[in-house]
Amino acid sequence: MAVYERSYHGYDGELTGTGNRILVISKFTTRELFRSRMFCAFFAICFVPSVSFLIAIYLRYNLEMLTELQIPIDEIFIIDAGFFINFLQYPQASLSFLLALVVGPGMISPDLRDNAMPLYLSRALTKTDYLLGKLLVLVVLLSLITWVPAVLLFFIHAYLGPEGWLVDNLQLPFAFIVTSFAWIFTLSLTALALSAWIKWKQVAQITFFGFFVMSSALGEAVREIFGGWLGSAFSAFDSYAVLISYAANEPVPISMPPSVAIMNMLVLSALATALIFQRIRAKEVA
Amino acid sequence: MEADGAGAGLADATTPPPGVRNDQPPPADGADLATDARSQPVIELQNLSVTLRGHPVLKSLTTRVTGRCIGLLGPNGAGKTTLLNTLLGFYPSTTGSAKVLGRDIRERAVRQQIGYMPENDSFIAGMSGVNFVRYMGELSGLPPEQALERAHEVFFYVGLGEARYRNVEAYSLGMKQLVKLAQAIIHGPRLLFLDEPTNGLDPPARTRMLQLIREIRDSGEARVIISSHLLRDVEECCEEVLILRHGEIATYCNLAEQRRSIEKFLLLQVVGAPATDAGPDPVDAFVAGLRDRGCEVGMQNRRRLRAVLPPTMEVRNVYELATALNVQIRGLDHKRDSLEDIFLRAMEGDHRPGDGS
Amino acid sequence: MNAVTYPQDNPHLWFTQLRAIIGIELGRVLFTSRATAIYVVAAVPIILLTTVGYIDNPRTGGPITGNIANARYAFAVIYAGFLLGTMVFLGSASLFISLFRGEILDRSLHYYLLSPVRREILAAGKYLAGLIASIGLFGTVTLVCYLLLYLPYGVSQMMSDFSSGPAARELTLYLLTTVFACIGYGAVFLLLGLFFRNPIFPILVLIGWELMHFILPPALKMISVVHYLKGIMPPQPWRGPIAVVMASPPAAVCMLALTGLTAVALILTVLRLKRIELRYTDS
Amino acid sequence: MTRGNDAIEISGVSKFYGEVLGVNRVDLTVMPGITGLVGPNGSGKSTLMNLIAGLLTPTKGTISILGLTNREPQLLYQHIGYCAQVDSFPPRMTGRQFLINYLRVHGFDKRSAAHLAHEALTRVSLLATADRRIDGYSKGMRQRIKLAQSICHQPRVMVLDEPLNGLDPIARAEIIDLFLELAAGGAHILVSSHILHEVDLISDRVVFLSNGYVVAEGDVQGIQGEIKHHPIQIRICSEAAPVIAARVFDLPDVVEARLHDDRRNVFVRTRNADRFFLAFNQMIMDHPWTIEAVSPVDESVEAVYQYLVADEPVSQ
């Protein structure tokens, strides 16, 4: 029989290396994100287009069901590279933008507003670890709704579809992965840069929303005056569309040269990264 | 500027006796610390200077801090927070160097052994209390299972057991301070930096916080540095005090040694019978009587007197006068140097109020 | 020596207070870091139209906009889509919302509420400061952009258009539209800023409302700002879906309606301000 | 100056935020001088101060400050200075500009505003840094500029929510002297604070709040006196403690004497303090004891606080 009086004692268990701090930050940030039901619902909606495209592919190759519905198969369902490009260009591009709008600004702003930076920095991790941890979350989430479903649909179609289709379309998945990563990094870095500089999450969201809306509105205005492709140089969405088609060597919908598209994304990402690092150097703490 | 006499004398002092609080008997067990932990200095500064935005804030500080619990004091803008932030690696030191627990502050691993409790409210929104502390634990290197287990342990230890599943931003001010302490001690650091731990707490919460700090200090597993403006709180926990002024060390001394007790300086709390219209008010008569006997008497307010007895007079004579005038001596104490006096002495030569850098 | 004259002895006290509030608010709205976004938004169209003025069309060698009539048409499209739709709308949104919601987020509104100033004067001071800033900024941008159209065609063309051509009337209408857009959107955003905790909602609410306005039943059209702005703007040769639009009332009626809408919004603002309760400590 | 009556009348005031209780049925008359407001966090302290400052309107009951209410703010706030606990300021402003702007909104002309601002800055000794931007100020300086803002228009009522928070000892002493000076000038000063010994030192009367109710109001001694049925405890420290412990039972109303295990302190509990102390004086005359220290354990504001408000121990 013993009486354990509640006195303080330290922790002498084993400690993990300092390398895994980035993963710890990503793990907890993701876990907190999925604790809100609203976000889970929104994230589920982001998968609706992927599922519907899957069904489309499945139906295409199961003729019996289609014949009863008397739908002329060949005219509607031409599943080719354009099919996947449309998948990435329309539903997934805007959904990934909305996801970045919802998640991105909330990455750093709350920590700035609630003065949580000293809690991180007083531990054995640097601000770069913190930023990489947050960036990783964004990149993973955005990948899950851009190139991951695209590549999956591609291989499912290759499996179901005609022989030899896989061989002569092999460059498609790589095109999807490369261009989607460019798009993901542009969105994530811009969102993180705004989140790192603006204390209030809502204000960062407006600025993020305003920035993209403004740039496409500007693109419209320029197209009105100049015509030609100069207008779409301002819009990141058009750049993404051009890059996908170009990488998949399909006819490019907008006459903008792909180099301008790449430049648009590079400039945006570089500017955002510079803003983030500027925030790192500024030794503001509490 | 070399620290004044008292401070310098300490550099080679032997182990200072456990702190004697002003009017409570000394702790019974006289915590027996492993001697090696005692002699190894907590913080060594080698003319450390820090300039922020072109403004010199710390001016070549040199000292070796060895106590178990050290109070960091100084007027606003003296550089307390800057010193803390420099030791934590937030600000780069302009010149000179500093060692914490024997390792240079530029090493990232040194922060593994430090626990830091920031001054202002700081938490992560949307997280439950225990989840927040567990996250901080894993960030300090604890593996996931131990982090969760340890999070619950420290939560119960700081007395927040029942609120651990609620969100931190719904906590009261006192609970936020306790959860900040919990995240600072979860990884069992060997050195704790507490920035204004009792600021804004109501009396019961303040007592509990001071009790926790004393327990951590007496456990011998961690040294504590407290930066605070509340001198009574520092007096209750700390054995040593480092006082900064204008970015320099004004005093670094051990509290017990500094408390010169002045026998003849009395603090009195008196209550006279209600002033009947017959004679003068008893309390005024009492004061006049003391002055007749050669005492200097200062009246803080109707109830509180300060009296300096002449060599010839004893406490007994005071009671004689009180009995004669039917005045009750509700409170009597020999005035000892409180931390406030040590602080004011350190500030001597600084008559410009509100200096602020 | 009592060098101080107390407010009670100041005959036109409310005017002094109004001037003070306008001065303070103008400083806060135009010269703080938050204002940079508005300056960027205002600079973009100017830069765009200057480049248009200088660059020649590679094929024809002449100005890109072909002839002045075509230029004026291009301006109409840019004005409706970009200048009015984005610059004035988003610009006045961020400017007027920050007047109250900005101060609540910064937790500095209590300094006003604790001053002996009538709530009517406080609301009026803030609104007027917002108006001066927005009309000053966006009005100038509209004027400069319109004049920039004439860059490639020389001053003579401009002079003749103004003296005899349609330019004078068109420019006045554009300026009036901008002014009334600031007045209308300003009052609405000022009010929404007081009600909504998260500023993003009022902006989305209004965008949705304004975009849907042409499919709204006539009764609901009455209370949308863009409906009246259309009445003031020079007639638009609309293309695309927006062409099918209910004819807006004549310009004078529109201006009156907008002023009425503004008055209602301001009265609601004052009522809300009278009952507002700030609890920073444990909010 | 409108000559309202010279008191703050709070009659039957309750304040609810939805179903959350702020304060409940508060009846209080605050006369000129310093009134300390004490109570744990969440006891309704801030709610009561915000009600008096007019930032909140009571759900039930009325508050009249010098005869005015917050329905006519243009009159009320000429006489009220408020120092919030939150330290946040309009952006990009120097200390002096902040004061001048505040005074201009009051309706003072440029010259009077500059004069009053200068006077207030001198009083809180912030002249040296008056023309630097507030966001460069340290915590102590921000506290002083807030205090300057609450006194610059020479109000007759000052509502100060933890005014000494974050100030260093020197600044605390200066600001306390300022309060005493203002109170001497006939102003009402309401100070809320958690540092009990400071509240006891400076306030003429103290209001104890707990869970939204006013549990006691008056000067500390008066309150202590009224808690008659609770015997008070006195600590006597002397070499002759054991002997004193034995003999003290001869004195009237002594109910308990406990010797501390260091045999130098004895804790005596008596039902009537006045009679005990007078008898104790006489007893010392009759015995050769040398008294080192005597301290009323219960008379301090900490003890009264613990008895009335807290259920946990509150150290001296």
Side-chain angles (χ1 to χ4, degrees), chain C residues 131-274:
Chain C
L131 266 193
I132 294 167
S134 55
I135 291 178
L137 195 60
F138 301 139
T140 335
V141 169
T142 314
L143 179 68
V144 165
C145 288
Y146 191 81
L147 295 180
L148 281 172
L149 281 185
Y150 286 89
L151 206 56
Y153 302 101
V155 180
S156 56
Q157 174 70 33
M158 188 164 73
M159 282 310 151
S160 69
D161 271 7
F162 269 95
S163 52
S164 59
R169 188 177 164 287
E170 226 178 49
L171 182 56
T172 348
L173 286 177
Y174 279 128
L175 287 175
L176 272 175
T177 318
T178 306
V179 165
F180 273 89
C182 294
I183 292 172
Y185 284 139
V188 170
F189 280 124
L190 190 74
L191 180 65
L192 293 178
L194 252 181
F195 274 94
F196 285 91
R197 229 173 54 77
N198 181 341
I200 197 164
F201 293 125
I203 294 179
L204 296 181
V205 160
L206 255 165
I207 288 182
W209 187 260
E210 301 279 292
L211 279 181
M212 289 190 312
H213 110 274
F214 57 85
I215 49 171
L216 287 177
L220 284 181
K221 267 203 206 317
M222 289 302 160
I223 45 170
S224 97
V225 176
V226 76
H227 173 63
Y228 298 109
L229 291 180
K230 271 210 204 326
I232 307 171
M233 238 191 300
Q236 289 304 301
W238 286 109
R239 280 179 297 135
I242 316 176
V244 179
V245 76
M246 193 194 89
S248 307
V253 169
C254 291
M255 292 190 217
L256 213 62
L258 273 175
T259 326
L261 192 69
T262 309
V264 165
L266 285 179
I267 291 163
L268 288 176
T269 308
V270 169
L271 291 177
R272 174 82 171 113
L273 207 54
K274 278 194 159 50

Side-chain angles (χ1 to χ4, degrees), chain A residues 96-124:
Chain A
S96 52
F97 169 71
L98 282 179
L99 184 63
L101 171 70
V102 164
V103 174
M107 281 289 143
I108 303 175
S109 305
D111 284 348
L112 289 177
R113 190 196 59 209
D114 301 329
N115 176 31
M117 292 318 285
L119 295 175
Y120 288 104
L121 295 181
S122 64
R123 284 175 162 75

Side-chain angles (χ1 to χ4, degrees), chain C residues 3 5-6 8 31 107, chain D residues 15 78 88 92 109 111 154:
Chain C
T5 52
Y6 285 89
Q8 297 81 347
F31 302 118
R107 292 182 169 192
Chain D
K15 176 67 189 176
Q78 282 159 7
S88 54
R92 291 175 63 86
D109 55 62
R111 199 174 38 73
Q154 296 168 349

